[in-house]
Amino acid sequence: MPMRDRLNDAVYGARRSAIREFSRLAAHTPDCVRLTLGEPDFATPAPICAAAGDALAAGETHYIENNGTAALRERIAAFERDQYGLECDAGDVIVTVGATEALFAALFGILNPGDEVIVPTPAFVLYERIIGLCRGEFVPLDTAPDGFQIDGARLSALITPKTKAIILNSPNNPTGCVYSEASLDAVRRAVADREIFVICDDVYRRLCYAGQCPSFADYRELRDRILLVQSFSKPYAMTGWRMGCLICDGPVRERLELVHQFMVTSAPAPFQRACMAALNVDPAPMLSEYRRRRDYVLARLMDMGLETPRPEGAFYAFPSIARFGMDSTAFCTRLVEEAGVAVTPGAAFGADGYARVSYCCAMAELERGMDRLAGFVRGLEGGR
């Protein structure tokens, strides 16, 4: 029997992440400047590491409640209430193995084969892959014509009887844009009278340069259909810890927690106390440095003539490369091979005329990367 006939058909619809592919290409290119991964260059703050050490010393290495310790879930709920005014309690929280598991549990739990999920693009590469693995249908909503905001008419035109969910990611990966109140209200009007879930991927919400940024999770009258995904990875430089959470209304949580239980049993026990410590850490110093890097990268890209939406959160810039007349994969491949700089093709995010530049690395690396990118752009312009 051929191997393909022995495996789940859905795995053949999945492709490797272009972010990882270009990171791998960079790793095999001598002296390459890597601006691909969303990997904060800061060390995890000392109080977080100390809390994990205390947990290990106290023997907290055994099974815990599937949804996480009561203490951590209560702390998460209190944080969301105090920070964002979110009405939730510990019973609404599932502590997950990163935001990726939260997304997978949410989508697996709500999708039946053929259900459609509307995703505003450009969008994080994993959404389409996870939707496909869960036997759903990925439906892109192109936001580029609307300044990377959501147009109500365009959204409504995509809704069908098969629409099961909409995914919102703000601040956005890869653009760094924050959805406006008008964009969020357009979604609210579209789902108000329909049984459509809204998955709020708010993992960058604490990394918003203007301070507080709105979220669809604020529409508490629709809480029975809101699935909120959060992560400790980005705001606290904890990417390798793989800790996140899924927050949803009780009746929905009762079903989704079973998916979580059968996938991973529970998130690691020693890290529960570390995450409690993380919620006491102010990420403002890291955010200030990201803002400084954002301003530098944005100024350099604009000097190169690369039109770039102004990032209002996260740590990515998304310049347009459309004027060079090549697809983004070709552009990024040549950039690595000819200039020794790795960025991620916009095609990975559903926007082929762009490239994603991650600026969560040291300023010296950004300066080297921008100098090399400028030289590459000059070379392309000279050959036209």
Side-chain angles (χ1 to χ4, degrees):
M1 179 183 294
M3 178 62 73
R4 184 174 186 124
D5 294 338
R6 295 164 57 196
L7 299 179
N8 187 330
D9 289 344
V11 303
Y12 286 99
R15 301 186 303 278
R16 295 187 184 276
S17 165
I19 301 171
R20 294 287 181 172
E21 288 295 326
F22 272 82
S23 295
R24 188 177 296 110
L25 177 60
H28 289 89
T29 301
D31 192 38
C32 188
V33 178
R34 293 186 236 180
L35 306 179
T36 48
L37 290 178
E39 173 73 48
D41 63 317
F42 298 102
T44 301
I48 301 172
C49 297
D54 291 343
L56 288 168
E60 295 174 14
T61 58
H62 302 282
Y63 283 133
I64 57 173
E65 298 175 61
N66 295 119
N67 288 357
T69 63
L72 176 55
R73 288 185 286 114
E74 288 168 1
R75 183 70 186 90
I76 289 171
F79 178 86
E80 291 292 331
R81 289 195 302 269
D82 296 344
Q83 189 77 19
Y84 303 118
L86 186 71
E87 297 175 12
C88 68
D89 59 36
D92 299 322
V93 178
I94 302 172
V95 179
T96 60
V97 181
T100 301
E101 192 238 319
L103 287 165
F104 203 108
L107 287 162
F108 188 91
I110 67 174
L111 293 181
N112 290 308
D115 282 347
E116 297 172 350
V117 182
I118 297 174
V119 180
T121 57
F124 182 42
V125 61
L126 290 191
Y127 298 151
E128 183 174 4
R129 308 296 188 267
I130 296 173
I131 291 167
L133 288 171
C134 293
R135 303 294 184 134
E137 297 293 331
F138 174 84
V139 180
L141 168 62
D142 185 9
T143 64
D146 303 297
F148 302 112
Q149 295 294 328
I150 296 173
D151 178 79
R154 293 184 197 274
L155 172 60
S156 296
L158 294 178
I159 294 176
T160 75
K162 291 185 177 181
T163 303
K164 179 60 72 72
I166 299 169
I167 298 179
L168 301 178
N169 174 218
S170 178
N172 178 262
N173 173 10
T175 66
C177 293
V178 171
Y179 288 140
S180 65
E181 294 281 5
S183 287
L184 297 178
D185 193 58
V187 178
R188 182 193 62 79
R189 292 195 306 272
V191 304
D193 298 321
R194 297 181 171 98
E195 293 298 321
I196 296 175
F197 288 101
V198 178
I199 299 175
C200 301
D201 184 353
D202 286 3
V203 299
Y204 295 101
R205 194 176 187 186
R206 293 215 78 189
L207 299 179
C208 188
Y209 302 120
Q212 296 278 17
C213 69
S215 167
F216 194 86
D218 298 334
Y219 292 112
R220 300 315 292 158
E221 72 275 14
L222 301 174
R223 63 176 296 166
D224 65 321
R225 69 197 71 176
I226 293 174
L227 309 177
L228 173 60
V229 173
Q230 285 284 23
S231 174
F232 292 88
S233 293
K234 308 299 185 176
Y236 307 112
M238 293 175 66
T239 53
W241 297 66
R242 308 311 307 134
M243 295 295 289
C245 66
L246 175 62
I247 303 175
C248 48
D249 204 29
V252 178
R253 186 265 307 154
E254 289 176 3
R255 297 293 91 195
L256 299 188
E257 70 181 16
L258 295 179
V259 180
H260 161 75
Q261 176 182 339
F262 297 137
M263 279 201 296
V264 299
T265 302
S266 64
F271 296 166
Q272 308 280 312
R273 207 193 288 197
C275 288
M276 292 177 65
L279 294 175
N280 293 322
V281 171
D282 185 356
M286 288 186 278
L287 182 60
S288 178
E289 178 60 18
Y290 292 143
R291 182 185 290 109
R292 183 172 79 96
R293 297 173 186 177
R294 185 273 310 264
D295 293 345
Y296 171 76
V297 168
L298 191 60
R300 291 296 305 270
L301 293 173
M302 298 303 280
D303 284 346
M304 297 175 210
L306 300 180
E307 185 176 338
T308 307
R310 182 178 179 81
E312 296 298 340
F315 31 60
Y316 309 108
F318 203 57
S320 171
I321 58 167
R323 65 189 178 92
F324 298 114
M326 69 179 83
D327 65 68
S328 60
T329 300
F331 178 94
C332 292
T333 301
R334 286 187 57 183
L335 181 61
V336 172
E337 294 174 346
E338 299 174 24
V341 182
V343 300
T344 307
F349 308 98
D352 197 33
Y354 298 83
R356 191 190 75 170
V357 178
S358 175
Y359 54 82
C360 56
C361 59
M363 183 62 82
E365 281 297 278
L366 287 177
E367 290 171 351
R368 285 207 311 148
M370 290 300 101
D371 288 345
R372 293 180 181 186
L373 177 59
F376 179 73
V377 167
R378 285 194 300 270
L380 292 179
E381 291 173 333
R384 294 175 69 187

